Every structure is written in structure tokens, then in C-alpha cells.
Amino acid sequence: MTAVLEIAGLQKTYRSRKGVRRALDGFDMTVEAGQVHGFLGPNGSGKTTTLRTLLGLIRPNGGRMAILGREVPASLPEVAGQVGAIVESPQFFGNFTAQDTLSLLADAGGVRKERVVAVLELVGLRDRAKDRVKTYSLGMKQRLAVASALLKEPKLLILDEPANGLDPGGIREMRTLMRNLAESGMTVVLSSHILGEIQLICDSVTIISAGRRVAAGSVADVLKTHTSLSVKVALEPGVDMRNAIELLRANGAQVTVEHDHFTVGNAGNPAQITRILAEREIYVSELTPMSADLESVFLELTGTAPVEGQNRQVDQSAAAPAPASGGWGQ
Amino acid sequence: MSLYSAETRRLTKRRFTKLFLLGVTLILAAVAAGMFFTNEKAGPAQIASAQAQAQQDYQRSLEQFQRDQAACQAAQGTAQASNWPPGCEGMIEPTAEDFQAQWYMPPTFDFRESFPDMVTTLAALLAMVAFIVGASFVGAEWSSGGMMNLLLWRPQRLRVLGTKLAALLVFFTALTVVFSAVWTGLFYLIAQARGSSESMTSGAWQSIALMELRGLALVIVAGAVGFGLASLGRHTAMALGVTIGAVIVFQFGLGTVLSLASVKFAEAYLIPVWMIAWMDKEVKIEDYNSCDFSSASGCVPDSLTLTWPMAGGVLAAVFVVIVVASMWTMRSRDVT
Ligand SMILES: Nc1ncnc2c1ncn2[C@@H]1O[C@H](COP(=O)(O)OP(=O)(O)O)[C@@H](O)[C@H]1O
Ligand SMILES: [Mg+2]
């Protein structure tokens, strides 16, 4: 497989009257051809900044980038024809119709006129194409944006939060569309903070937090390396859980207490649990491995899991990779 | 070329452009209609009527004079004598000279004399429209995010902005040429119907053509300045609000300060004078506080003459500075 998109050591510091803000701090990213790649990160972690820099809208302070094997921004004019992109819910001139907007873009980019009709059909705007964009809902504008990115029949499609403002039906359609596009050979990079979304359609992911990559790889790999197996443990009815919990904690287990059961977060070897408890004659009635999901990995890696009694502020997220949680009891 | 035609299409598709063109067309039509209806051809009938009216007024004032003189003579030696000049002297008898027929002629449109003002009117109106449309053309694009979309399509910033500017300027050049031709034709017809164009020599035509060419330059510079300012500020309001506001305040403020400080030729620092110098080929500013005494003509005020090459230099400098500045910021500033 070849890399369609490579970013190494990307740095970007915004300077304004209010001071400097380091948005990207040595960020790396690689996307292989033909994949749907999820670009995940909490609000303000630098996703949009990365995409803007990649597309030549802002100038980086350091680092290297390549699209389709060509250095950018130097070769951007040559590769631009093969890259379709939307960055941060794009706005369109409100007084033009969707049709006009796209046909002007087609003109400017030297794209065949038939594509306009085709992409409008593809994103479901055919019947509203003659309405002024001003009259569109957020979701319809988002669809128009996707249509504009698809106009060139790109090899690489970059979508910044495409699910913004879409209804559940729209999200599902978008998902199907992405999958179909990927099957036709297009590489899709999808930034999002909605994890269920990404887990459903992405082959691989890059997770960014505070301007740095904290995890990358196929969804399965990321899940495997960044979660340790957690198990749900229930005891015989009538048995006091507190003893059991203290016992396990004393042995280094991460225990979360629920209403009628508890979970052990770092259960690399679940047999340990039964052995320790059985030695004290506490018997387990249920021991269920819990499937890991991207959301918990994301929350852990980015340090954005909600903590009771605290209001997390947007810039509070983990800057460095969280230490890999060791398998307890192995 | 595809980018250029897309930009031209975008410009002409905008309702803002259409609205302003319609507006300026209506204003121009009103001016032409006004000139048509307030002027009359100076034929034998008009001359005869003017002569008759001059004669009539002369007779009437002569009679009045004679009546007054009689009354004065009669009043001599009575108490009313003080109402009249002593000895009835100093009462001036009106002459036929005082009632010339030409002053009784209806206004007539002499092409050679009156058309240059119309050329200036056209150029000023079109320049204003070019400024506003140019500013909004790029300003709306910046503030709506359309510019970012376009840059995603064509990641060549200077080319995108340059093409946009070229499309704007070519459009306004074509527009000005067409409007000037129609305007000239229209007033030629008005002169035929309501005045005369007899004094138009080929030299006079040439000077009108040159004046129209200077008008075209004014329109182009105005369009480019509006465009450049809006692009610098990345918003239409930047060009419209700030410029119009600043120019008015600055010009009034500066004018007042300069005249309070009794700066010589204060008007030379104000924009309209330069516009007039450009269109009318020269403008003479006089300093009435000074006195160059000469025995032949007494006190002659100092004067400063601004000529069209000087004004042209100013226009070119403004054009270059603003276009270069907007291109430079386009190249170097982040698009967010
Ligand atoms: N134009 C800008 N000027 C200053 N700071 C900015 C600008 N754009 C983004 N930032 C800051 O950079 C950080 C990353 O922003 P962004 O890339 O938009 O995050 P994301 O898209 O992941 O939500 C944020 O802290 C944001 O406040
Ligand atoms: Mg963003």
C-alpha cells in the first residue's frame, strides 16, 4: 500500500493580538490509499488546523507534508485537481443557487458540466438545486459542501466534520456514500469528534490531542493496543461486594463499582479474579468480558473523559500519550 | 481562462452588480432627459421672441424711468422732494444695451461647450459604481467563505485574486466604453434637437475622446481601489464604510485644519480638486491672501496649477500601492 497523505512533525502557532497559541506541536499522520481514515480529536485539538495547513490555506511553522507523493504546499497546484476538500462547514454565497455555485466552481476548476448534476443527485439535492443557498438548512449546506468536494472526482477526499448538522438519515446516507466512494478506489479522510460514526465506517484512525498524535493505526489495532480487557463481575446474590472489591484492589485491580456488579478495568487475565476471590470463598456468578469501544479509548487517550464534579474546559486535554495500561494480573 | 470566465460570470450574475448597473442607468437616463427638456434649439423663432421680449422690457423700464423723472420734477420744492435724489440728478436712463436679446434666449445645448461636463458626470457615476461593485465583489467572497472554497479549488492565491481583479476591470472597461459611446451619441442627438453641434471640429471631437479615455482610467482606478481595499480588509464594509467614512472625515477634517493653519493652497490636499484636474486637464488654485502686485493689473493672487499629468501620476500611484498591498497580503496571510 502507498501513502496518499503523509504529514510529519507539523507545527503551527497562531499569533494574534491576544498572544500565541500552539495549535499543532509536531503532529504526524499517514493515510494509506483506498482507506476511509478517521481523524479524531476533541474540540480545539487541531484537526481543522491540520487540514487547512495541508490544503495551503495557512502556512505551517515547520514540518513536512505530502499528498499523493508530492510535497505540499509546493506542489499543491498540481495535486489540487485530485483532492476534493471541505474545511470546517464551508459557507457559500447565499444569493446563488446550489446549481450556480457548483457550476461556477466547475468552471473555475475546468470540470465537465455534467458533474454538477451528477454530484447534486449523489448528495440528494437534485430537487432543491435551483433554490438559493440562503434558504438551505445546515444539513443541506453540508450536503452541498460534500457535493462541491466530489465535483472533481478526486482521488483523495478530505472532509472536516461532514456529519455536522446532518439528521440521522443523512448521517447514514453519508456513511453509505463514503463506503461506496472508498470501494470505488477513493481515499477518504474524515475528521470527526463523533466516535460511533468513525468506528462504523473507518478502516484506520489517527487520534489527535492538543496538537499531537496520540494513537494511529487500524481501528482494531488501536482498540487492541490501547485497551486492556475489562470484565464485568457479578457475585452470588446476598454476598457483600465490598470485601471482594477491597481484595481485588489490594491486588492492584482497577475496580469500578456499579449498582449490582462491578467491573475490573485492567483484567489481562480474568482467571486471576476467580482465583483470588475463590481463595476467600467468594464465588463469582458472572464474569463477562466487555467489548472495548473507540469512545473509551478516545476518552482515555485524550484525557477528556468527564470527571464528576468538574467542568472540563476545551483546552484541557492530554498532551502526551497516556501510559499504556498494563495488563493486571498477567 | 476558465477561471477568468467563471469570475466574469460570477460578477454579472450577482444581484448587487445588476442592481447598481440598473441604478446608474436610470440616473443617467434622468440626466439626459433633464437636459433634453430644459434646453431648446435657438432657431429664428426663438431669436425673434427673445428680441421682442428684450424690446418689451426695455420699453417698460424706459416708461417707468420717464414716469419717475416726471414725478421727481413735480415734487421739486414740495415736502416729497426728499424722496428723490436732489435736483433729480443721478437717475439713470436705461439703454437698449441693458436689454440684450441673448439674455432672453432659452437655454440651448451647445455640444462643444456643454458635453464635457456630461463626460465628467458619466465618469464620476461609473467610478462610484466600479468602486462599490468592486469592493463587494471580493468583499462578499471573503466574508461568505467563498474565497476559501475557491482557494481549495485553485490553490494559487495570486492567480485567483489577480484573475478576479482582471475580470472586474475588463468588465468595467467594456461597460465604460459602451456607456461612453451611447452617452456621446445620446447627447449628440440632444444637441441636434435642442441645441447645436455646429462648432464640433475634428480637434474638438478628439479632445472629447481623450476626455472619455481619462474617464475610463478613473473608472478603472476606482474599481481597483474598491477591490483592493475590500480584499485587504477581507470584507466589503472595510472598503465602503472605512473608505467613505475616512475620506469624508479626513477630507473635511484636513480641509478645516489646513485652512485654519493657513496653509498655502490647502485645496491641493483634497481629492476632488485632483479629480477635476484629471478630467478637465487642469485646475488653478488661487491663494487670495497673497498679492503679487503688478502695475498693470493691481493685486494678482498667487496660484498653483494642477495639471492632468500630475493628477494621472497620483491616480497611478494610488492604483499601484493598493493593488500591490492587496496582492502581498493575499500571498502572505493565513486564510482562516
Ligand atoms: N485563526 C486562529 N487564530 C488563533 N487561534 C486559532 C485559530 N484557529 C484555530 N485556533 C486555535 O487552534 C486550536 C486548534 O483549533 P482547530 O484546529 O480549529 O481545532 P479542531 O478543528 O480540532 O476543533 C484551538 O485552540 C483554536 O482555538
Ligand atoms: Mg474543526
Side-chain angles (χ1 to χ4, degrees), chain A residues 12 14 52 55-59 76-77 80 85 87 90-93 95-96 100 103-105 107-111 113 132 134 148 151-152, chain B residues 2-3 5-7 9-11 13-15 140-141 143-157 331-336:
Chain A
K12 174 67 193 179
Y14 286 110
R52 281 207 180 110
L55 296 163
L57 295 177
I58 60 183
R59 211 179 282 267
L76 204 52
V87 177
Q91 303 285 306
F92 296 98
F93 187 63
N95 278 326
F96 285 172
D100 286 344
S103 98
L104 283 171
L105 279 178
D107 246 14
V111 169
K113 282 277 189 286
R132 286 195 282 150
K134 201 150 67 174
S148 77
L151 209 51
K152 297 189 257 197
Chain B
S2 58
L3 189 58
S5 66
E7 288 307 330
R9 211 146 66 80
R10 189 194 310 278
L11 178 63
K13 233 183 207 329
R14 301 196 55 206
R15 285 200 307 179
E141 200 81 344
S143 49
S144 75
M147 184 62 96
M148 185 157 101
N149 274 329
L150 198 56
L151 288 174
L152 288 178
W153 269 74
R154 299 295 294 254
Q156 295 138 299
R157 298 194 189 182
R331 219 180 91 102
S332 55
R333 256 174 70 183
D334 284 351
V335 181
T336 56

Side-chain angles (χ1 to χ4, degrees), chain B residues 63-266:
Chain B
E63 281 161 23
Q64 180 68 39
F65 171 77
Q66 283 157 357
R67 258 201 310 278
D68 285 350
Q69 209 165 35
C72 178
Q73 300 291 355
Q76 290 302 309
T78 72
Q80 267 86 45
S82 60
N83 291 342
W84 302 98
C88 296
E89 269 163 38
M91 293 179 80
I92 299 155
E93 186 175 353
T95 63
E97 290 290 273
D98 298 336
F99 297 87
Q100 290 182 18
Q102 61 180 29
W103 300 335
Y104 289 84
M105 289 294 287
T108 183
F109 191 85
D110 181 66
F111 194 85
R112 184 168 182 173
E113 206 169 290
S114 311
F115 188 62
D117 282 349
M118 295 297 113
V119 174
T120 306
T121 306
L122 177 73
L125 275 173
L126 286 182
M128 194 184 72
V129 171
F131 181 89
I132 295 172
V133 168
S136 135
F137 182 46
V138 70
E141 200 81 344
W142 272 117
S143 49
S144 75
M147 184 62 96
M148 185 157 101
N149 274 329
L150 198 56
L151 288 174
L152 288 178
W153 269 74
R154 299 295 294 254
Q156 295 138 299
R157 298 194 189 182
L158 290 188
R159 176 127 181 239
V160 165
L161 195 69
T163 309
K164 236 182 203 327
L165 178 60
L168 176 80
L169 297 187
V170 169
F171 174 77
F172 269 99
T173 303
L175 190 83
T176 307
V177 168
V178 171
F179 269 58
S180 297
V182 171
W183 196 237
T184 312
L186 201 60
F187 276 93
Y188 191 72
L189 291 180
I190 289 175
Q192 302 282 311
R194 302 289 180 144
S196 94
S197 56
E198 275 152 30
S199 53
M200 288 308 290
T201 57
S202 75
W205 277 115
Q206 197 180 347
S207 109
I208 280 183
L210 286 174
M211 191 171 180
E212 286 178 334
L213 217 53
R214 290 198 302 276
L216 172 64
L218 191 65
V219 173
I220 289 175
V221 171
V225 167
F227 182 94
L229 288 179
S231 185
L232 277 171
R234 300 196 169 178
H235 206 287
T236 313
M238 161 72 181
L240 302 190
V242 175
T243 310
I244 293 173
V247 162
I248 289 172
V249 171
F250 183 71
Q251 290 288 295
F252 278 129
L254 189 70
T256 312
V257 169
L258 290 177
S259 65
L260 281 181
S262 329
V263 172
K264 219 170 160 82
F265 307 126

